[in-house]
Amino acid sequence: MKKLLAPAILMGLAAPQVATAAEEVNVYSYRQPFLVEPMFNEFTKETGIKVNVKFAKQGIAEKLQQEGEYSPADVVLTTDISRLVELSDKKLVQSVDSKVIDSNVPAQFRDNEDEWFALTLRSRNVYSSKDRVGKLPASFDYSDLAKPEWKGKICTRSGKHPYNVSLVSSMIAHYGEAETKVWLEGVKANLARKPQGNDRAQVQAVKEGLCDLAIGNSYYLGKMVNDENQKAWAEAVYINFPGQESKGTHVNVSGMAMAKYAPNQANALKLMEFLTSDKAQEMYAEVNYEYPVKDGVKRSELVASWGDFKADDVSLDEIAQYHNAATKLLDEVKFDL
């Protein structure tokens, strides 16, 4: 058993117990316990392999860097494409060769070098007021957010939040930096207020009449519908999937990667393959109102009620390449100010 030399630096996270026994696997997770523990329990039930998991809101990349070759981490679960790319860019993960994973996860939603893989999809939607706007037409696209007719009517969280940086990156992938900058300036001019709060707060603002359109991830609608204190917010809006007559709706992901120095590689691979299986994918989708990454897996009843949509077919690996350019443009137009 290797000795853990580096101290834990994750916020609120104690140093993990090192597990290198053949029947164990160690996970560092940005995903919350209620989402992943049911799947880990099922995995242990099927394989006899115990899953040791440590949760954090931030700092996993820094922790892996500090621990180096003495890290006990086998698998890392993240909440956004930017965090997956960060792990890869900092050379904190390793390539995984698995026909099972390659079969279950479409090429569009995994790294070209097989260093990270999506587990679930979440679409970046535009919510519209039922009372003041109604359902948006299928022709509505993200580019329409910059049209003068929406001046003072749009709410969004910080442009620098990873969800929005990813959206801007996708716009660069399609239209280039110059056109995307003009678009960002138009969206900023149409904001009803300074970017603030989370995605749910934008839907609340629509309910309260502060704006008519809100940008937010799809799964938050499911969370609001099932929260008595927020259900009225959800009932005040329609969920719209932009780009259905053009490039499709932008999707982000939650995902996984194998840590560079994983001490339990065989068990790590078994867990990663399990997380892409029908059973785990359906559990993931049901609990957090996300879309399964594996084709053909049943969606939750609520998510299915929102209807089908065409996703943007630009690979996430390509979109991730424009992350720095997107951040630069957001600064140039002073989007959050």
Side-chain angles (χ1 to χ4, degrees):
M1 182 178 294
K2 295 181 180 178
K3 182 178 179 183
L4 181 62
L5 299 182
I9 63 171
L10 287 179
M11 294 183 62
L13 187 61
Q17 295 181 345
V18 181
T20 57
E23 72 281 3
E24 295 186 311
V25 62
N26 303 314
V27 177
Y28 284 178
S29 176
Y30 281 127
R31 304 245 63 180
Q32 299 176 64
F34 80 93
L35 288 175
V36 296
E37 286 180 341
M39 290 182 293
F40 291 159
N41 291 337
E42 185 64 28
F43 172 73
T44 299
K45 179 181 176 181
E46 290 189 10
T47 66
I49 300 171
K50 179 183 177 183
V51 181
N52 304 302
V53 57
K54 294 299 179 181
F55 300 94
K57 291 185 177 180
Q58 57 184 342
I60 287 180
E62 291 80 5
K63 180 170 179 59
L64 289 171
Q65 284 181 313
Q66 186 174 20
E67 291 174 339
E69 65 181 299
Y70 299 101
S71 176
D74 294 307
V75 177
V76 182
L77 299 182
T78 79
T79 54
D80 184 84
I81 180 62
S82 63
R83 282 174 161 164
L84 288 167
V85 172
E86 177 187 26
L87 293 170
S88 182
D89 288 347
K90 292 182 176 180
K91 302 186 184 307
L92 298 171
V93 294
Q94 60 180 288
S95 178
V96 172
D97 182 12
S98 169
K99 292 182 179 179
V100 172
I101 296 176
D102 288 350
S103 175
N104 291 341
V105 181
Q108 177 186 356
F109 302 122
R110 48 186 161 91
D111 176 53
N112 289 337
E113 303 299 324
D114 288 329
E115 290 189 342
W116 54 258
F117 307 86
L119 286 175
T120 61
L121 308 178
R122 58 277 292 270
S123 55
R124 197 72 180 145
N125 298 96
V126 174
Y127 294 99
S128 57
S129 168
K130 287 183 177 179
D131 293 338
R132 299 182 300 278
V133 177
K135 187 76 173 175
L136 295 174
S139 60
F140 188 91
D141 201 354
Y142 299 105
S143 58
D144 294 324
L145 293 170
K147 290 185 176 180
E149 65 194 77
W150 300 112
K151 187 173 181 61
K153 296 182 179 181
I154 299 174
C155 285
T156 183
R157 72 194 306 163
S158 168
K160 301 295 280 292
H161 188 279
Y163 297 160
N164 281 338
V165 173
S166 181
L167 173 60
V168 176
S169 299
S170 74
M171 295 295 285
I172 295 174
H174 283 286
Y175 304 113
E177 290 187 40
E179 191 170 338
T180 300
K181 183 177 181 178
V182 173
W183 172 75
L184 272 177
E185 291 171 335
V187 176
K188 176 179 170 61
N190 287 345
L191 295 180
R193 62 179 183 180
K194 179 180 177 180
Q196 59 191 269
N198 55 25
D199 280 2
R200 298 193 211 196
Q202 314 315 314
V203 177
Q204 179 186 10
V206 173
K207 170 66 170 64
E208 295 175 348
L210 297 177
C211 45
D212 289 347
L213 300 182
I215 302 172
N217 278 359
S218 54
Y219 66 93
Y220 286 111
L221 184 63
K223 291 178 178 293
M224 289 184 287
V225 167
N226 287 281
D227 185 328
E228 284 302 317
N229 295 322
Q230 300 176 0
K231 187 175 182 179
W233 307 350
E235 293 176 342
V237 300
Y238 285 114
I239 183 171
N240 302 278
F241 297 92
Q244 293 308 286
E245 294 184 356
S246 54
K247 63 182 180 299
T249 298
H250 171 62
V251 294
N252 208 320
V253 300
S254 70
M256 63 179 178
M258 186 183 292
K260 182 176 182 179
Y261 299 106
N264 303 295
Q265 290 190 24
N267 290 344
L269 181 58
K270 289 179 182 178
L271 176 60
M272 293 174 72
E273 290 179 341
F274 172 79
L275 292 175
T276 69
S277 69
D278 285 24
K279 180 177 292 186
Q281 286 281 293
E282 190 169 331
M283 292 174 70
Y284 233 144
E286 184 67 36
V287 173
N288 205 44
Y289 314 108
E290 294 177 285
Y291 295 92
V293 71
K294 184 181 180 184
D295 292 335
V297 175
K298 180 182 177 182
R299 302 174 181 178
S300 75
E301 184 176 343
L302 176 59
V303 172
S305 73
W306 301 337
D308 294 327
F309 70 95
K310 179 179 71 173
D312 189 343
D313 62 4
V314 174
S315 74
L316 293 179
D317 194 63
E318 179 181 349
I319 289 174
Q321 296 176 20
Y322 297 105
H323 182 275
N324 291 337
T327 302
K328 179 183 177 182
L329 289 185
L330 287 159
D331 284 335
E332 287 180 0
V333 304
K334 298 180 172 58
F335 191 84
D336 285 351
L337 300 181

